[in-house]
Amino acid sequence: MNAFRSAACGLLVTAVATSTLVAQETNERREKIRRAVGAAAEVAEGLIEQNANTAVPAVDGRVIILKRVEKKDEALAAEPQEINAGGLVIVEVPDTQSHPTEVAEPTVTPAEAAQSFGKVRGIRTNNAGQPMMGGGYTWFLFKTLAPGKAAINVKYTPNGGGDPVDQTYQVNVVAK
Protein backbone atom coordinates (compact mmCIF):
# COMPACT_ATOMS: atom_id res chain seq x y z
CA MET A 1 0.00 0.00 0.00
CA ASN A 2 2.92 2.35 0.75
CA ALA A 3 4.17 1.90 -2.80
CA PHE A 4 0.71 2.70 -4.10
CA ARG A 5 0.53 5.86 -1.94
CA SER A 6 3.96 6.93 -3.02
CA ALA A 7 3.05 6.44 -6.68
CA ALA A 8 -0.25 8.31 -6.21
CA CYS A 9 1.50 11.18 -4.42
CA GLY A 10 4.14 11.26 -7.13
CA LEU A 11 1.46 11.46 -9.82
CA LEU A 12 -0.36 14.16 -7.87
CA VAL A 13 2.82 16.22 -7.46
CA THR A 14 3.58 15.74 -11.17
CA ALA A 15 0.03 16.80 -12.13
CA VAL A 16 0.19 19.90 -9.91
CA ALA A 17 3.64 20.82 -11.23
CA THR A 18 2.47 20.30 -14.83
CA SER A 19 -0.67 22.36 -14.34
CA THR A 20 1.36 25.12 -12.68
CA LEU A 21 3.82 25.06 -15.58
CA VAL A 22 0.98 25.15 -18.15
CA ALA A 23 -0.65 28.04 -16.26
CA GLN A 24 2.65 29.94 -16.24
CA GLU A 25 3.13 29.35 -19.99
CA THR A 26 -0.45 30.49 -20.65
CA ASN A 27 0.11 33.64 -18.60
CA GLU A 28 3.39 34.30 -20.44
CA ARG A 29 1.62 33.91 -23.81
CA ARG A 30 -1.17 36.25 -22.70
CA GLU A 31 1.39 38.82 -21.57
CA LYS A 32 3.27 38.57 -24.91
CA ILE A 33 0.00 39.05 -26.80
CA ARG A 34 -0.90 42.01 -24.57
CA ARG A 35 2.48 43.63 -25.26
CA ALA A 36 2.19 42.98 -29.01
CA VAL A 37 -1.30 44.51 -29.15
CA GLY A 38 -0.08 47.51 -27.15
CA ALA A 39 2.87 48.02 -29.50
CA ALA A 40 0.61 47.73 -32.57
CA ALA A 41 -1.79 50.29 -31.09
CA GLU A 42 1.08 52.72 -30.47
CA VAL A 43 2.31 52.30 -34.06
CA ALA A 44 -1.20 52.82 -35.46
CA GLU A 45 -1.72 55.89 -33.29
CA GLY A 46 1.60 57.33 -34.48
CA LEU A 47 0.72 56.75 -38.13
CA ILE A 48 -2.69 58.37 -37.68
CA GLU A 49 -1.13 61.44 -36.04
CA GLN A 50 1.61 61.63 -38.67
CA ASN A 51 -0.84 61.50 -41.60
CA ALA A 52 -3.73 63.43 -40.05
CA ASN A 53 -3.10 66.58 -42.08
CA THR A 54 -2.01 64.93 -45.32
CA ALA A 55 -4.99 62.69 -46.05
CA VAL A 56 -6.79 65.03 -48.47
CA PRO A 57 -5.31 68.25 -49.82
CA ALA A 58 -7.45 71.34 -49.34
CA VAL A 59 -8.61 72.91 -52.58
CA ASP A 60 -9.49 76.55 -53.02
CA GLY A 61 -11.01 78.40 -55.94
CA ARG A 62 -12.39 77.16 -59.24
CA VAL A 63 -13.42 73.67 -60.29
CA ILE A 64 -13.25 72.42 -63.86
CA ILE A 65 -14.51 69.09 -65.20
CA LEU A 66 -12.64 67.75 -68.22
CA LYS A 67 -14.87 65.47 -70.28
CA ARG A 68 -14.18 63.42 -73.38
CA VAL A 69 -14.25 65.43 -76.56
CA GLU A 70 -15.53 63.58 -79.62
CA LYS A 71 -13.40 63.61 -82.78
CA LYS A 72 -15.82 66.00 -84.51
CA ASP A 73 -15.29 68.55 -81.71
CA GLU A 74 -11.49 68.20 -81.38
CA ALA A 75 -10.96 71.89 -82.15
CA LEU A 76 -12.57 72.69 -78.79
CA ALA A 77 -10.18 70.39 -76.94
CA ALA A 78 -7.16 72.38 -78.14
CA GLU A 79 -8.24 75.45 -76.14
CA PRO A 80 -6.69 75.33 -72.65
CA GLN A 81 -9.06 75.50 -69.71
CA GLU A 82 -8.07 78.15 -67.15
CA ILE A 83 -8.00 77.47 -63.42
CA ASN A 84 -6.38 79.03 -60.37
CA ALA A 85 -3.50 77.45 -58.43
CA GLY A 86 -5.11 75.42 -55.65
CA GLY A 87 -8.21 74.73 -57.73
CA LEU A 88 -9.81 71.35 -58.39
CA VAL A 89 -9.49 69.61 -61.75
CA ILE A 90 -11.78 66.65 -62.40
CA VAL A 91 -11.09 64.28 -65.31
CA GLU A 92 -14.27 62.38 -66.18
CA VAL A 93 -14.19 58.90 -67.73
CA PRO A 94 -17.64 57.59 -68.69
CA ASP A 95 -18.77 54.06 -67.95
CA THR A 96 -19.32 51.90 -70.99
CA GLN A 97 -21.83 49.07 -71.31
CA SER A 98 -23.24 49.92 -67.87
CA HIS A 99 -20.13 49.09 -65.89
CA PRO A 100 -16.93 50.98 -65.03
CA THR A 101 -14.34 51.37 -67.74
CA GLU A 102 -10.91 50.06 -66.78
CA VAL A 103 -8.58 53.03 -66.93
CA ALA A 104 -5.14 53.78 -65.52
CA GLU A 105 -4.49 56.91 -63.48
CA PRO A 106 -4.27 59.91 -65.85
CA THR A 107 -0.80 61.42 -66.25
CA VAL A 108 0.06 65.06 -65.63
CA THR A 109 2.81 66.91 -67.52
CA PRO A 110 4.77 68.45 -65.87
CA ALA A 111 4.27 66.18 -62.87
CA GLU A 112 4.64 69.10 -60.42
CA ALA A 113 1.68 70.94 -61.96
CA ALA A 114 -1.03 68.97 -60.15
CA GLN A 115 -1.38 66.58 -57.24
CA SER A 116 -3.63 63.54 -57.65
CA PHE A 117 -5.74 62.67 -54.64
CA GLY A 118 -7.91 59.80 -55.74
CA LYS A 119 -10.95 58.93 -57.74
CA VAL A 120 -14.67 58.65 -57.12
CA ARG A 121 -17.42 56.72 -58.87
CA GLY A 122 -20.82 58.17 -59.62
CA ILE A 123 -24.06 57.40 -61.40
CA ARG A 124 -26.00 59.67 -63.69
CA THR A 125 -29.28 60.96 -62.25
CA ASN A 126 -32.24 62.97 -63.50
CA ASN A 127 -33.37 66.28 -61.96
CA ALA A 128 -35.31 64.38 -59.27
CA GLY A 129 -32.14 62.54 -58.21
CA GLN A 130 -33.25 59.16 -59.57
CA PRO A 131 -30.63 56.95 -61.28
CA MET A 132 -30.78 56.93 -65.09
CA MET A 133 -30.00 54.14 -67.52
CA GLY A 134 -26.63 54.17 -69.22
CA GLY A 135 -24.17 53.77 -66.40
CA GLY A 136 -22.14 56.32 -64.59
CA TYR A 137 -18.64 57.70 -64.54
CA THR A 138 -15.32 57.77 -62.73
CA TRP A 139 -13.85 61.10 -61.70
CA PHE A 140 -10.10 61.46 -61.19
CA LEU A 141 -9.37 64.35 -58.81
CA PHE A 142 -6.38 66.71 -59.04
CA LYS A 143 -5.36 69.82 -57.12
CA THR A 144 -3.44 72.36 -59.21
CA LEU A 145 -0.23 73.43 -57.51
CA ALA A 146 1.63 76.19 -59.33
CA PRO A 147 0.93 78.67 -62.12
CA GLY A 148 1.89 77.57 -65.62
CA LYS A 149 0.75 75.37 -68.48
CA ALA A 150 -0.03 71.72 -67.86
CA ALA A 151 -1.42 68.75 -69.77
CA ILE A 152 -3.49 65.91 -68.37
CA ASN A 153 -3.64 62.73 -70.45
CA VAL A 154 -6.11 59.89 -70.01
CA LYS A 155 -6.09 56.61 -71.96
CA TYR A 156 -8.67 53.83 -71.93
CA THR A 157 -10.51 51.41 -74.19
CA PRO A 158 -14.29 51.33 -73.84
CA ASN A 159 -15.71 48.06 -72.49
CA GLY A 160 -16.93 45.76 -75.25
CA GLY A 161 -14.43 47.10 -77.76
CA GLY A 162 -14.50 50.32 -79.66
CA ASP A 163 -11.76 52.74 -80.53
CA PRO A 164 -9.20 53.37 -77.78
CA VAL A 165 -9.46 56.83 -76.24
CA ASP A 166 -6.28 58.88 -75.85
CA GLN A 167 -7.38 62.34 -74.75
CA THR A 168 -5.04 65.13 -73.65
CA TYR A 169 -6.52 68.16 -71.93
CA GLN A 170 -4.62 71.46 -71.78
CA VAL A 171 -4.88 73.41 -68.55
CA ASN A 172 -3.55 76.92 -67.87
CA VAL A 173 -2.99 77.37 -64.13
CA VAL A 174 -3.01 81.00 -63.03
CA ALA A 175 -2.11 82.62 -59.68
CA LYS A 176 -4.99 82.93 -57.18
Side-chain angles (χ1 to χ4, degrees):
M1 201 60 146
N2 264 346
F4 179 72
R5 272 189 171 163
S6 294
C9 281
L11 284 174
L12 183 61
V13 169
T14 304
V16 169
T18 303
S19 66
T20 304
L21 183 62
V22 168
Q24 285 176 342
E25 288 176 355
T26 301
N27 286 338
E28 287 174 10
R29 275 189 251 140
R30 283 187 187 143
E31 188 57 33
K32 284 180 183 177
I33 291 171
R34 242 183 255 130
R35 284 194 305 258
V37 169
E42 287 179 20
V43 169
E45 186 177 293
L47 288 173
I48 290 169
E49 287 177 12
Q50 178 183 0
N51 295 318
N53 295 326
T54 61
V56 176
V59 293
D60 181 25
R62 292 191 62 204
V63 174
I64 57 174
I65 300 174
L66 305 173
K67 297 182 179 187
R68 180 178 178 189
V69 177
E70 299 295 327
K71 292 206 182 275
K72 63 183 178 184
D73 297 326
E74 279 184 342
L76 297 175
E79 297 176 22
Q81 299 263 355
E82 190 168 282
I83 188 165
N84 64 291
L88 175 65
V89 176
I90 301 171
V91 176
E92 182 177 295
V93 175
D95 290 355
T96 52
Q97 294 193 345
S98 296
H99 57 282
T101 302
E102 290 192 30
V103 58
E105 180 79 18
T107 57
V108 177
T109 308
E112 308 81 40
Q115 173 187 5
S116 171
F117 62 97
K119 63 183 174 180
V120 294
R121 296 242 333 103
I123 57 170
R124 302 200 188 288
T125 59
N126 62 17
N127 290 340
Q130 299 166 327
M132 295 175 28
M133 295 292 290
Y137 51 84
T138 301
W139 279 358
F140 291 90
L141 309 172
F142 296 90
K143 175 185 177 182
T144 54
L145 299 176
K149 295 188 183 299
I152 300 175
N153 180 263
V154 62
K155 296 179 183 179
Y156 62 93
T157 301
N159 295 322
D163 294 332
V165 175
D166 184 353
Q167 184 83 53
T168 300
Y169 303 99
Q170 302 298 322
V171 178
N172 187 24
V173 182
V174 297
K176 288 185 182 182

